[in-house]
């Protein structure tokens, strides 16, 4: 008999987010501030991706990795901000158990991919500085694509495999002292 079979445990189906204000004016201000910052983030990162894709002068490894980083930033912002904006207008904000852990998984994947991508970008600059004559040979477009794909795939495997191997069940308090489903707030529960 394992510890989950002992006693009566109710499974949590949703989390209550208590980190947001319940005052209508502060909710409105928070919503519009987040909306403005989200639009600026989307516009800025989309512009970087667009310019790197369109301008042939920017088809270098540094800008290729920069556009990957911009894509990660777009995805990272989109994984949390729209839900926070929607919850900022509610008096009783909640998030379902599956949505919360999906959001945690996606954010962990994107954070890992960003770490790997930043390491690759550091290696790119190292090669450019230490061996400038062989830079185009070492950092060819094929090598850059393979390195970026490896960063994305390894981050995906490191994020998804533990979740598939060790499914998480949660029974306990469901009141999260945060405005989104954040790892440290969930671990405190």
């Amino acid at each position: 008999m394992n510890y989950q079979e002992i006693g009566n445990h109710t499974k949590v189906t949703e989390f209550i987010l208590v980190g947001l204000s319940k005052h209508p004016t502060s909710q409105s201000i928070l919503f519009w501030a987040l909306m403005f910052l989200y639009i600026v983030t989307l516009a800025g990162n989309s512009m970087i991706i667009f310019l790197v894709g369109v301008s042939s002068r920017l088809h270098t490894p540094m800008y290729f990795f920069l556009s990957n980083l911009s894509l990660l930033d777009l995805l990272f912002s989109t994984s949390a901000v729209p839900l926070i904006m929607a919850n900022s207008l509610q008096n009783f904000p909640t998030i379902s158990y599956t949505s919360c852990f999906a959001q945690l998984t996606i954010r962990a994947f994107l954070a890992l991919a960003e770490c790997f991508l930043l390491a690759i970008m550091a290696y790119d600059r190292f090669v450019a500085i230490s061996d400038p004559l062989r830079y185009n040979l070492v950092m060819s477009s094929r090598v850059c694509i393979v390195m970026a794909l490896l960063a994305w795939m390894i981050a995906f495997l490191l994020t998804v495999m533990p979740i598939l191997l060790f499914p998480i069940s949660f029974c306990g308090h469901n009141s999260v002292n945060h405005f989104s489903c954040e790892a440290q707030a969930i671990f405190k529960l």
Side-chain angles (χ1 to χ4, degrees):
M1 182 179 272
N2 66 26
Y3 72 94
Q4 290 180 346
E5 293 173 354
I6 300 171
N8 185 12
H9 293 284
T10 305
K11 255 190 155 171
V12 171
T13 59
E14 68 180 12
F15 292 104
I16 301 167
L17 304 171
V18 295
L20 295 171
S21 173
K22 295 194 182 352
H23 301 290
T25 46
S26 59
Q27 285 177 330
S28 178
I29 290 170
L30 178 65
F31 175 82
W32 289 110
L34 285 173
M35 176 70 82
F36 173 74
L37 292 173
Y38 184 60
I39 289 171
V40 168
T41 301
L42 289 178
N45 286 308
S46 298
M47 184 66 74
I48 290 172
I49 293 168
F50 175 74
L51 289 175
V52 169
V54 169
S55 177
S56 62
R57 290 180 33 207
L58 299 180
H59 289 179
T60 64
M62 181 175 74
Y63 289 107
F64 171 74
F65 293 126
L66 184 64
S67 65
N68 270 271
L69 196 61
S70 292
L71 178 62
L72 277 170
D73 193 30
L74 270 173
L75 295 172
F76 202 82
S77 298
T78 304
S79 72
V81 175
L83 185 63
I84 295 170
M85 287 171 37
N87 283 337
S88 71
L89 297 177
Q90 296 178 2
N91 288 329
F92 193 70
T94 60
I95 185 170
S96 72
Y97 173 83
T98 53
S99 295
C100 178
F101 281 97
Q103 188 179 60
L104 286 174
T105 304
I106 290 168
R107 292 175 81 185
F109 159 67
L110 294 171
L112 271 173
E114 184 173 353
C115 289
F116 290 136
L117 197 59
L118 288 172
I120 291 169
M121 290 173 80
Y123 175 72
D124 171 57
R125 294 295 86 202
F126 170 75
V127 171
I129 292 169
S130 67
D131 201 2
L133 296 176
R134 293 185 47 219
Y135 176 73
N136 289 332
L137 180 66
V138 174
M139 296 300 289
S140 67
S141 61
R142 183 171 183 254
V143 169
C144 291
I145 291 170
V146 168
M147 289 173 80
L149 284 173
L150 278 174
W152 287 84
M153 287 190 312
I154 291 172
F156 180 76
L157 290 175
L158 287 175
T159 305
V160 172
M161 286 308 226
I163 292 170
L164 293 177
L165 295 175
F166 307 109
I168 300 170
S169 63
F170 186 85
C171 55
H173 299 290
N174 67 338
S175 190
V176 178
N177 194 17
H178 207 271
F179 53 85
S180 73
C181 198
E182 212 266 334
Q184 289 179 344
I186 296 297
F187 288 149
K188 282 183 182 179
L189 294 179

